[in-house]
């Protein structure tokens, strides 16, 4: 059996798991330990994973069912469980979503049942002058909630917010305007309402569940008050003390919890520098 070690990525959240090779069989006992670290830490890093697409999918499946994203153009052919995030084109056509996630968000928060987590595998990373670009930043929504003043915590606990997919999809992007969503895509993703303070489905800890990418308004508040409170919360989440910034290496498999964290991909690399990441996305539980 593989012997795993764990070391923290930041004082507040995130962990690196060492001593585990995901191309080898993972016993139920070892998987249980990994899952516990994932639920407790929010972000989990495995370095040096030389795994196939099927091994990536199979390991992800151990956590439960996988999402098939509504953006069919970014799905890997023959393996729709993998959403490709890449600026690489083949035969004149992008192989994935060119600049996905370059804003603070949690994956699929705009669904009635938001995603449990995502597993991103670095296949190619952009480099300039020996430095790897295209980091991904994470915020702990548990630490962010904990740090709020008591009266604001109390107020937020009774409130809900609207999550809207098109807000993130249609925003300004370095790659230019995206093709409009089809009527089928729009029908599959109506606006949804989730509590602003979400109880983590596995640990029960309160998480601040609003993200700049997809949240449009707080239910029941006048627009000006809703805009101003949301802006305050979005800014609060950016405090350095809640952030982990990941500098990628090829072979990193990084997984994150889509309730206890938000993330943002840093688009600081030129179009000519190849970046290719493969993502699987875990189905979650209804927000409570
Ligand atoms: C994502 O939001 O899933 C993409 C993150 C990244 O490419 O760094």
């Amino acid at each position: 059996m593989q012997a795993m070690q764990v070391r923290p990525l930041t004082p507040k959240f995130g962990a690196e798991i060492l001593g585990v090779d995901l191309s080898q069989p993972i016993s139920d006992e070892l998987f249980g330990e990994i899952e516990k670290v994932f639920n407790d830490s929010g972000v989990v890093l495995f370095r040096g994973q030389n795994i196939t697409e099927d091994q990536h999918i199979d390991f992800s499946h151990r956590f439960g069912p996988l999402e098939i994203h509504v953006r069919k153009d970014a799905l890997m052919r023959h393996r729709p469980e993998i959403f490709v995030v890449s600026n690489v084109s083949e035969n004149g056509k992008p192989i994935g979503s060119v600049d996905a996630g370059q804003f603070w968000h949690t994956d699929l928060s705009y669904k009635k049942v938001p995603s449990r987590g995502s597993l991103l595998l670095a296949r190619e990373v952009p480099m300039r002058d020996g430095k790897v670009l295209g980091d991904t930043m994470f915020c702990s929504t548990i630490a962010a909630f904990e740090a709020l003043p008591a009266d604001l915590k109390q107020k937020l606990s009774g409130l809900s917010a609207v999550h809207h997919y098109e807000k993130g999809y249609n925003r300004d992007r370095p790659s230019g305007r995206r093709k409009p969503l089809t009527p089928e895509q729009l029908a599959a993703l109506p606006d949804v309402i989730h509590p602003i303070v979400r109880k983590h489905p596995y640990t029960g800890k309160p998480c601040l569940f609003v993200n700049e990418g997809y949240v449009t308004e707080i239910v029941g508040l006048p627009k000006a008050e809703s805009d101003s409170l949301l802006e305050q919360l979005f800014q609060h989440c950016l405090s350095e003390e809640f952030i982990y910034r990941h500098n990628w290496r090829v072979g990193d498999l990084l997984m994150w919890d889509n309730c206890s964290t938000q993330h943002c991909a840093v688009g600081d690399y030129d179009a000519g520098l190849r970046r290719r990441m493969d993502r699987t996305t875990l189905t979650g539980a209804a927000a409570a």
Side-chain angles (χ1 to χ4, degrees), residues 236-251:
H236 171 72
C237 286
L238 305 186
S239 282
E240 219 168 287
E241 60 190 301
F242 316 135
I243 304 284
Y244 167 64
R245 181 168 177 144
H246 186 66
N247 186 238
W248 291 94
R249 294 182 203 160
V250 170

Side-chain angles (χ1 to χ4, degrees), residues 83 85-86 100-103 105 107 118 120 134-138 248 256 263-266 269 275 277 279:
F83 181 90
V85 180
S86 183
Q102 295 184 3
F103 51 88
H105 67 288
D107 296 326
S118 306
L120 194 67
D135 291 355
T136 309
M137 296 188 290
F138 295 87
W248 291 94
W256 60 84
H263 60 283
C264 173
V266 179
Y269 49 95
R275 185 177 191 267
M277 320 292 274
R279 191 184 91 195

Side-chain angles (χ1 to χ4, degrees), residues 141-146 153 157 197-200 203-209 259-260:
T141 61
I142 294 177
F145 179 73
E146 251 167 37
K153 280 184 180 161
S157 295
V197 184
R198 215 183 133 191
K199 193 165 134 199
H200 190 275
T203 64
K205 290 193 178 156
C207 305
L208 186 57
F209 198 62
C259 181
S260 67

Side-chain angles (χ1 to χ4, degrees), residues 38 42 44 56 60 105-108 115-121 138 253-258 263 278-282:
F38 176 56
V44 171
H56 182 185
S60 306
H105 67 288
T106 51
D107 296 326
L108 278 49
S115 158
R116 176 179 179 189
S118 306
L119 294 88
L120 194 67
L121 177 67
F138 295 87
L253 181 93
L254 192 74
M255 53 185 302
W256 60 84
D257 185 304
N258 279 318
H263 60 283
D278 291 349
R279 191 184 91 195
T280 53
T281 315
L282 309 177

Side-chain angles (χ1 to χ4, degrees), residues 9 27 56 69 83 114 124 127 135-136 216 227-228 243 251 259:
L9 292 172
S27 66
H56 182 185
H69 203 277
F83 181 90
E124 293 183 72
M127 277 188 82
D135 291 355
T136 309
T216 51
D227 287 352
S228 135
I243 304 284
C259 181

Side-chain angles (χ1 to χ4, degrees), residues 74-238:
L75 302 182
M76 187 177 284
R77 269 204 307 146
H78 312 305
R79 285 187 183 76
E81 299 90 341
I82 295 185
F83 181 90
V84 180
V85 180
S86 183
N87 60 355
V88 174
S89 286
E90 280 170 9
N91 305 318
K93 201 171 164 281
I95 63 167
S97 178
V98 173
D99 45 16
Q102 295 184 3
F103 51 88
W104 283 98
H105 67 288
T106 51
D107 296 326
L108 278 49
S109 77
Y110 47 78
K111 289 190 79 168
K112 196 157 176 250
V113 177
S115 158
R116 176 179 179 189
S118 306
L119 294 88
L120 194 67
L121 177 67
R123 297 273 183 203
E124 293 183 72
V125 296
M127 277 188 82
R128 193 191 311 120
D129 302 330
K131 187 177 173 319
V132 175
L133 305 172
D135 291 355
T136 309
M137 296 188 290
F138 295 87
C139 156
S140 164
T141 61
I142 294 177
F145 179 73
E146 251 167 37
L148 290 171
D151 56 341
L152 184 53
K153 280 184 180 161
Q154 175 81 33
K155 174 176 177 173
L156 294 175
S157 295
L159 293 174
S160 300
V162 177
H163 297 238
H164 178 71
Y165 177 57
E166 267 189 303
K167 181 182 179 195
Y169 182 86
N170 279 343
R171 61 191 295 131
D172 285 343
R173 291 167 184 279
S175 61
R177 228 182 132 58
R178 286 178 169 177
K179 272 202 308 208
L181 291 166
T182 63
E184 292 73 30
Q185 286 171 315
L186 287 170
L189 293 171
D191 287 1
V192 295
I193 293 174
H194 296 306
I196 290 184
V197 184
R198 215 183 133 191
K199 193 165 134 199
H200 190 275
Y202 292 84
T203 64
K205 290 193 178 156
C207 305
L208 186 57
F209 198 62
V210 281
N211 64 81
E212 195 267 327
Y214 296 119
V215 169
T216 51
E217 65 182 289
I218 297 177
V219 179
L221 293 191
K223 181 169 171 19
E225 190 183 343
S226 163
D227 287 352
S228 135
L229 182 50
L230 284 176
E231 193 48 38
Q232 180 189 345
L233 296 175
F234 298 154
Q235 288 306 318
H236 171 72
C237 286
L238 305 186

